[in-house]
Amino acid sequence: ALLIVAIFVVKGVFAFGQGFLSEYGAQQVAYDVRNQMYDHLQRLSFAYHDRAQTGQIMSRVTADVDAIRMLMGQGLLNGVNALVVLVCVLFLLFTTDPKLAALSLLPIPFLAFTTVRFGTIIRPVYARVQQQFAVSNTTLQESLTGARVVKAFGRESVEIEKYGAENLKFLKLNVRAVKVYSFTYPFMTFLAGLGTALTIWYGGGQVINGQLSIGTLVAFNSYLGLLVVPVRWLGPVVNIFTRALASGERIFQVLDARSPVQERPGAVELPPMRESVRLERVTFGYHTGHPVLRDVTLEARSGQVIGIVGPTGAGKSTLINLIPRFYDVSDGRITVDGRDIRDATLSSLRRQIGIVLQESFLFSATIRENIAYGRPGATQAEVEAGRP
């Protein structure tokens, strides 16, 4: 009795260690992936963020990373457990009665086929689920960001209908995934149960004929019953794995994105600007073959104030965005005191340029912190004066 108590105490300790360490490892992986994605997103140029939707990015950093966390935690743990139990049970079955073991495992090939087919069917479904979740997030984000515009034009009902439609698509895709899983999992359990039926049918006949003891049959059937556990785990593990696989593809679409604005090898620190900023025969287009600026030459010398005037879409903001290298020129060059800005490090270039964007944005911080955002070390007097 004391030995049984000791065994259960040890089992409890190991169960705690198993659960804690697996989830700790999974959370650590999710933490690292989120940090890596955020770091990469911060380093991508304006060109990427112009095309990417905020809701899409948010869903990849949250829902898709969480799918990876589930795989590395619960999925990996249950998968390893199922494999260990399966190997041990197969060893016990074949050492007890090889012929009976071979007969009872006849449904295994069909079970393997069902598992592979399930993964093949469910993977694209989960890919569409994750994509639709991102679309719903984008609709929500845009509606909340533009709440003033929505209310100013009385478009609340339209936005409600639009979000409801996207949310309904998300629901239908989830229901489809659940339908596939709900059919496959019981079918896999049924196939595993066929092994028990074959064991009782064949083994029972041997017991009646005196070729097998009833104790051996009961023991064999008990071993076979242990296979229910890995089979029961198999469905959720495949489900988690396929979902994580779809999410992993979406995560790597972000991590593999490359910014067209890159520092050249050997880029140097740009010394303080003193003389002039010059655009020399600059041509630029957001899309190849469609230039917004053509052969622009302009010089701004120290102390000068220059106003650039033109209708909407003329390229005023584009021209300014080229100076801190939010985008790179398609042709020509921009120099600071005679140095090509592409030869300077991005940080040394941008910290010397002050920009007031067309749309005001405040971070969730104090007014002082927002004013001094570009120069955290600014004194209180400099912040109040509003100049560096």
Side-chain angles (χ1 to χ4, degrees):
L2 291 175
L3 180 60
I4 291 175
V5 172
I7 289 172
F8 274 96
V9 169
V10 173
K11 179 182 177 182
V13 171
F14 275 92
F16 168 78
Q18 183 186 55
F20 174 78
L21 292 176
S22 64
E23 188 59 28
Y24 175 81
Q27 292 287 354
Q28 193 69 38
V29 169
Y31 168 82
D32 290 338
V33 173
R34 276 193 294 264
N35 277 347
Q36 189 174 355
M37 289 185 71
Y38 187 80
D39 180 88
H40 189 66
L41 285 166
Q42 291 295 321
R43 298 177 190 280
L44 289 173
S45 66
F46 268 37
Y48 176 84
H49 292 286
D50 283 342
R51 296 188 302 268
Q53 295 176 319
T54 303
Q56 289 274 358
I57 295 175
M58 290 292 293
S59 72
R60 297 183 192 208
V61 178
T62 54
D64 288 325
V65 172
D66 194 59
I68 300 298
R69 179 194 63 79
M70 289 186 65
L71 172 65
M72 300 306 297
Q74 182 181 350
L76 188 61
L77 177 63
N78 289 342
V80 172
N81 280 345
L83 181 62
V84 171
V85 171
L86 181 63
V87 171
C88 292
V89 170
L90 289 177
F91 174 77
L92 290 172
L93 290 176
F94 279 97
T95 53
T96 302
D97 191 316
K99 185 182 293 187
L100 192 58
L103 181 67
S104 64
L105 295 176
L106 280 178
I108 292 297
F110 299 98
L111 185 63
F113 173 78
T114 302
T115 302
V116 173
R117 180 164 176 77
F118 170 68
T120 304
I121 294 174
I122 203 68
R123 180 181 171 185
V125 175
Y126 276 137
R128 289 195 290 271
V129 167
Q130 297 298 86
Q131 175 63 23
Q132 186 56 40
F133 178 70
V135 172
S136 300
N137 267 6
T138 299
T139 304
L140 175 63
Q141 180 265 331
E142 288 178 350
S143 178
L144 294 177
T145 304
R148 292 185 179 182
V149 177
V150 173
K151 293 188 177 298
F153 289 93
R155 301 281 288 180
E156 292 91 344
S157 58
V158 175
E159 292 299 321
I160 291 171
E161 183 179 348
K162 183 166 68 173
Y163 181 75
E166 298 298 343
N167 202 23
L168 180 60
K169 292 179 184 177
F170 181 59
L171 172 64
K172 289 180 177 178
L173 286 170
N174 268 302
V175 169
R176 183 180 176 187
V178 170
K179 187 183 296 183
V180 174
Y181 175 71
S182 299
F183 169 78
T184 305
Y185 181 47
F187 185 65
M188 292 166 66
T189 305
F190 166 73
L191 289 176
L194 283 180
T196 303
L198 290 171
T199 300
I200 298 297
W201 171 71
Y202 179 77
Q206 286 191 314
V207 171
I208 293 172
N209 296 329
Q211 298 173 321
L212 185 71
S213 70
I214 191 168
T216 301
L217 179 62
V218 170
F220 191 92
N221 196 50
S222 299
Y223 297 150
L224 195 61
L226 293 175
L227 280 180
V228 175
V229 176
V231 170
R232 186 176 298 166
W233 285 338
L234 190 59
V237 166
V238 173
N239 191 43
I240 291 172
F241 176 78
T242 50
R243 190 160 201 158
L245 199 61
S247 294
E249 291 176 352
R250 288 166 49 80
I251 288 172
F252 277 103
Q253 286 174 1
V254 175
L255 293 178
D256 291 341
R258 290 294 172 260
S259 175
V261 177
Q262 298 284 346
E263 286 187 358
R264 288 178 174 174
V268 298
E269 289 283 313
L270 185 70
M273 299 181 184
R274 297 186 182 280
E275 297 177 9
S276 66
V277 175
R278 181 175 174 80
L279 284 72
E280 300 176 1
R281 303 180 66 86
V282 167
T283 297
F284 172 78
Y286 293 101
H287 305 286
T288 305
H290 298 278
V292 177
L293 301 173
R294 298 179 182 85
D295 200 23
V296 176
T297 297
L298 171 68
E299 183 177 23
R301 301 195 63 79
S302 177
Q304 283 186 310
V305 177
I306 296 177
I308 302 170
V309 182
T312 301
K316 304 182 297 297
S317 299
T318 300
L319 188 147
I320 298 303
N321 286 335
L322 293 175
I323 297 175
R325 289 192 69 196
F326 293 154
Y327 306 91
D328 268 339
V329 298
S330 305
D331 196 16
R333 68 171 189 161
I334 300 175
T335 64
V336 172
D337 297 342
R339 299 180 180 87
D340 193 320
I341 60 174
R342 289 171 292 191
D343 294 328
T345 62
L346 289 172
S347 59
S348 65
L349 171 66
R350 291 174 180 173
R351 67 169 171 255
Q352 298 191 54
I353 301 172
I355 298 176
V356 179
L357 300 174
Q358 290 174 303
E359 296 180 4
S360 299
F361 178 83
L362 294 177
F363 288 95
S364 299
T366 65
I367 298 297
R368 185 195 189 285
E369 289 170 329
N370 273 279
I371 293 174
Y373 183 78
R375 189 183 168 194
T379 65
Q380 183 67 24
E382 288 172 335
V383 169
E384 292 177 3
R387 63 174 182 269

